[in-house]
Amino acid sequence: MKKVILVFLLLSTNIFAKNLGHRAGGGKKEYYSHLPENSLIALENSLHELQFEEDFLYLEFDIQETKDGEVVVFHDKTIRRMINKKQNKEALDIIAEENDIPYLKRKLNLIRIHDLTYEQLQTLHLTDHPDQKIPTLEEFLELSKDLGLQKPMSVEIKYIYSKNVKERIIRMLKEFREDYMDQADIIFERKYDMPFRVGFLGFRSKFKKTFKDKDKYWCNKIKKAGLYGVFKPGNHINLCDS
């Protein structure tokens, strides 16, 4: 019965035309619109059932770096859209004092992820979901393994700054590929047009800002890790080859 309802919903809305795995399936205009994008609860729901739909082409989520070098799963540069100021008032007041956040940035809730440590981020919760914190890349990989991801994984680069963090991300995805994805029975849908089981997405602007004038060096490291390159969202051109 659940399967019938799921198919009906897919056919009766316009969301079935795009990748259902976008931002782990959660967020406004995504399949699980009542769940936060890039959240563990959205990932859990997607892996239990949604991933087996043919329009779930691949699991996609966004990563960026915190002030102290943790890798978290989050799309926007600032917390404004996903962390409600009123719901997190007490924690945000403490953060503003600890970090000496300017008044206007504090008032508009324009605090960057990179302004905060991982410990500070963990005092906040995602809007309307008190039990949902901003997850780490490690948590996403572990849950994907535990719940049996069976579609390719695309990790979109947003705001990554330090050399050590870039190296750690590549190493983590390489190990995830070797330990799990290469052994798993991954389903490649007919419309899936990228060569990897796990790899990177990134717009050209983010690609240039992340790797700067050493893009060839980093592309070589990515390819040696069996991750193929960095693919542009939409047309899926490999920026490492263009």
Side-chain angles (χ1 to χ4, degrees):
M1 184 63 179
K2 279 186 177 181
K3 182 77 171 178
V4 173
I5 293 171
L6 179 59
V7 171
F8 174 77
L9 287 171
L10 292 177
L11 294 175
S12 61
T13 64
N14 62 4
I15 60 172
F16 72 95
K18 64 180 181 180
N19 175 35
L20 295 177
H22 185 242
R23 299 185 192 174
K28 188 177 179 181
K29 297 183 180 179
E30 304 298 338
Y31 183 79
Y32 295 115
S33 58
H34 62 294
L35 298 177
E37 65 185 46
N38 286 323
S39 64
L40 289 175
I41 190 66
L43 177 61
E44 181 178 350
N45 276 263
S46 288
L47 295 185
H48 276 311
E49 189 168 34
L50 189 63
Q51 70 164 324
F52 300 107
E53 295 301 320
E54 65 177 356
D55 289 307
F56 193 110
L57 303 181
Y58 53 92
L59 173 65
E60 182 270 349
F61 55 89
D62 311 279
I63 58 169
Q64 54 182 298
E65 180 180 342
T66 66
K67 185 177 182 179
D68 56 343
E70 182 58 86
V71 184
V72 295
V73 179
F74 201 78
H75 180 275
D76 295 1
K77 195 170 193 175
T78 74
I79 65 172
R80 182 177 185 178
R81 186 172 60 86
M82 295 299 297
I83 305 288
N84 184 277
K85 189 169 69 169
K86 289 183 179 178
Q87 294 177 12
N88 290 275
K89 184 181 184 307
E90 186 176 342
L92 285 170
D93 285 345
I94 293 171
I95 285 170
E97 270 192 42
E98 289 176 344
N99 292 53
D100 197 21
I101 305 277
Y103 172 77
L104 190 60
K105 186 182 280 192
R106 178 178 179 178
K107 184 174 177 59
L108 297 177
N109 207 22
L110 291 174
I111 302 169
R112 299 186 307 161
I113 293 293
H114 194 56
D115 290 333
L116 306 180
T117 64
Y118 173 68
E119 184 178 354
Q120 288 173 325
L121 281 176
Q122 289 304 289
T123 66
L124 307 171
H125 69 79
L126 298 171
T127 300
D128 296 333
H129 290 268
D131 61 331
Q132 292 296 304
K133 311 288 188 181
I134 296 174
T136 63
L137 172 59
E138 183 177 3
E139 288 174 324
F140 248 60
L141 296 180
E142 284 301 314
L143 189 58
S144 295
K145 186 190 300 183
D146 291 345
L147 296 184
L149 173 66
Q150 286 187 252
K151 291 290 177 73
M153 174 186 285
S154 297
V155 181
E156 184 165 344
I157 298 166
K158 286 300 180 184
Y159 305 100
I160 306 297
Y161 305 96
S162 64
K163 180 180 179 182
N164 287 343
V165 170
K166 292 170 199 172
E167 289 177 339
R168 189 162 82 250
I169 292 168
I170 294 169
R171 185 170 64 251
M172 288 174 72
L173 291 189
K174 177 179 183 290
E175 290 173 358
F176 181 71
R177 176 185 64 77
E178 292 173 342
D179 296 344
Y180 177 74
M181 294 297 275
D182 285 353
Q183 321 303 324
D185 187 16
I186 301 299
I187 301 167
F188 297 97
E189 297 293 352
R190 180 176 53 83
K191 291 184 286 186
Y192 181 70
D193 60 356
M194 290 182 286
F196 55 74
R197 289 175 174 242
V198 56
F200 290 109
L201 289 176
F203 286 102
R204 191 175 296 276
S205 59
K206 297 293 190 298
F207 177 77
K208 290 297 183 184
K209 285 180 181 177
T210 301
F211 302 118
K212 299 183 170 55
D213 59 344
K214 294 186 176 179
D215 56 321
K216 289 184 179 178
Y217 167 82
W218 288 108
C219 281
N220 284 335
K221 287 186 79 73
I222 290 168
K223 288 181 177 182
K224 283 181 180 178
L227 305 173
Y228 288 87
V230 179
F231 292 76
K232 185 179 176 183
N235 60 20
H236 294 162
I237 292 172
N238 190 348
L239 297 176
C240 285
D241 294 336
S242 63

